[in-house]
Amino acid sequence: MEFFRFSRDIPFMSWRRIAAAISILTFILSVFFIATRGLNLGVDFTGGTVLEVSYEQTADLTKIRAVLAELNMTDVTVQNFGTSRDVMIRLPVMPEYSSAQLSETVLDALRAADSTVEMRRVEFVGPQVGKELLENGALALLFVSLGIVAYLAVRFEWKFGIAGIVANLHDVIIILGFFSFFQWEFSLTVLAAVLAILGYSVNESVVIFDRIRENFRKLRKVPVENVINNAITRTMARTIITHGSTQMVVITMLLFGGEVLFYFALALTIGIWFGIYSSIMVASPILMLLGVKREDLVKPEEKKPENDGAVV
């Protein structure tokens, strides 16, 4: 069953110069914002205090945030966990409070607003732990990237490995650029989303690379540009259905997942759209730039000698 049918090949590669200008501009802007503004790292990375409190009735998160705002604690994360009566509060490091003073101050304020609140757990996350998490996260990104290069180079050819990793790094930098520009909180869940996008984007690139390899075998005398256009056009129906259904799930998380899933879903949303774009308009043009040709993927046929020396 085919829901979307394209009667002609879409000339993606004729737009590659415009796409290259857009990609380079957004990439440079993202690097600029990351370098100048940095990331708004969450408590997971910077350290802080984590409180778990419980109410007899369903907790009013808006009211809890208002109570904390009255204490000039606006840079906090308040979310449910477990049940609707249990609340987790994440507070950044505050030099004017010790960990014990901070938890007592918050608990007193919450009790003044609702006497049924009970403290369940207080945990201090030191800056050293956060630094180790950040370093481990960066290493995870590095190893995943190297694994992708090795996989594409072995499965296809080194030119595909370079094209794939450039497209993936383009997606990662763009996501980080968005988080840096808007100063959205970068937490462990966002890092998990970035790693997920790496796998998601490389899967999209592999699908297109597979079609390109098939076309090189079937379309022997067709120019490389037309081979790639045909390969991408053949994947468009799958792209629309797959990414459309995935995006519906992610948007549901974005709208109804609450604060705990909001930035995770936001990073996935940005990554999915740029993952589609980079697989089509970054990876494929780089293949052309690197001079991919049929001989890179298809071994030349050996010509049989006209005279094998047999004498009849």
Side-chain angles (χ1 to χ4, degrees):
M1 183 181 295
E2 189 172 0
F3 291 102
F4 303 96
R5 183 183 294 275
F6 298 89
S7 57
R8 294 181 179 177
D9 291 346
I10 304 172
F12 290 105
M13 291 304 99
S14 63
W15 306 326
R16 64 183 184 275
R17 292 178 179 81
I18 299 174
I22 295 172
S23 299
I24 292 172
L25 178 63
T26 52
F27 189 90
I28 291 174
L29 284 175
S30 297
V31 172
F32 173 76
F33 289 129
I34 294 169
T36 57
R37 307 184 67 168
L39 293 171
N40 178 21
L41 298 175
V43 174
D44 299 332
F45 297 115
T46 60
T49 303
V50 179
L51 308 178
E52 290 181 8
V53 297
S54 180
Y55 289 83
E56 289 185 356
Q57 306 297 327
T58 300
D60 187 342
L61 300 184
T62 304
K63 186 177 179 181
I64 294 173
R65 293 191 185 100
V67 170
L68 295 173
E70 290 178 359
L71 297 174
N72 293 322
M73 299 178 184
T74 54
D75 189 17
V76 300
T77 302
V78 180
Q79 63 193 58
N80 285 115
F81 78 99
T83 70
S84 60
R85 295 178 301 169
D86 300 319
V87 179
M88 177 182 290
I89 303 171
R90 298 185 180 205
L91 301 160
V93 174
M94 296 184 179
E96 63 270 30
Y97 295 104
S98 67
S99 182
Q101 289 173 336
L102 183 61
S103 60
E104 286 297 324
T105 302
V106 171
L107 184 60
D108 290 343
L110 294 178
R111 278 178 178 159
D114 187 339
S115 59
T116 65
V117 64
E118 292 182 3
M119 181 71 75
R120 293 295 178 85
R121 181 172 70 97
V122 179
E123 184 175 314
F124 176 71
V125 181
Q128 183 60 34
V129 176
K131 183 180 177 183
E132 290 177 0
L133 284 173
L134 188 60
E135 290 174 351
N136 291 336
L139 283 176
L141 278 174
L142 175 64
F143 286 130
V144 169
S145 302
L146 292 176
I148 289 172
V149 172
Y151 169 70
L152 292 176
V154 170
R155 177 163 177 171
F156 297 97
E157 207 254 351
W158 67 269
K159 294 173 184 174
F160 289 80
I162 292 177
I165 197 60
V166 170
N168 274 263
L169 291 179
H170 169 274
D171 301 340
V172 170
I173 295 298
I174 295 296
I175 295 173
L176 297 181
F178 268 97
F179 273 77
S180 176
F181 178 74
F182 292 104
Q183 287 294 291
W184 294 328
E185 182 181 339
F186 191 87
S187 62
L188 277 177
T189 57
V190 176
L191 177 61
V194 172
L195 291 172
I197 285 299
L198 273 175
Y200 191 88
S201 181
V202 75
N203 180 65
E204 183 68 16
S205 298
V206 166
V207 171
I208 293 176
F209 290 168
D210 266 331
R211 297 297 176 276
I212 292 174
R213 181 167 58 183
E214 289 175 6
N215 278 359
F216 273 126
R217 289 172 178 165
K218 293 190 301 184
L219 309 174
R220 295 173 178 268
K221 297 183 179 179
V222 176
V224 174
E225 182 174 334
N226 294 350
V227 167
I228 295 177
N229 284 336
N230 179 267
I232 298 174
T233 304
R234 288 172 58 200
T235 66
M236 288 309 296
R238 170 203 168 274
T239 298
I240 294 171
I241 295 172
T242 303
H243 296 296
S245 56
T246 305
Q247 192 62 69
M248 287 172 62
V249 176
V250 174
I251 288 178
T252 303
M253 284 197 295
L254 186 68
L255 297 178
F256 305 108
E259 188 176 351
V260 66
L261 291 178
F262 181 78
Y263 289 118
F264 175 75
L266 190 60
L268 287 179
T269 299
I270 298 169
I272 288 172
W273 283 103
F274 277 93
I276 299 170
Y277 167 80
S278 67
S279 299
I280 297 172
M281 301 308 300
V282 176
S284 299
I286 288 177
L287 283 179
M288 290 193 64
L289 186 67
L290 294 174
V292 69
K293 52 186 181 297
R294 182 174 177 272
E295 288 74 16
D296 293 332
L297 299 167
V298 182
K299 293 182 180 179
E301 296 178 358
E302 295 183 1
K303 293 184 179 179
K304 294 182 179 179
E306 296 179 358
N307 186 354
D308 59 0
V311 178
V312 178

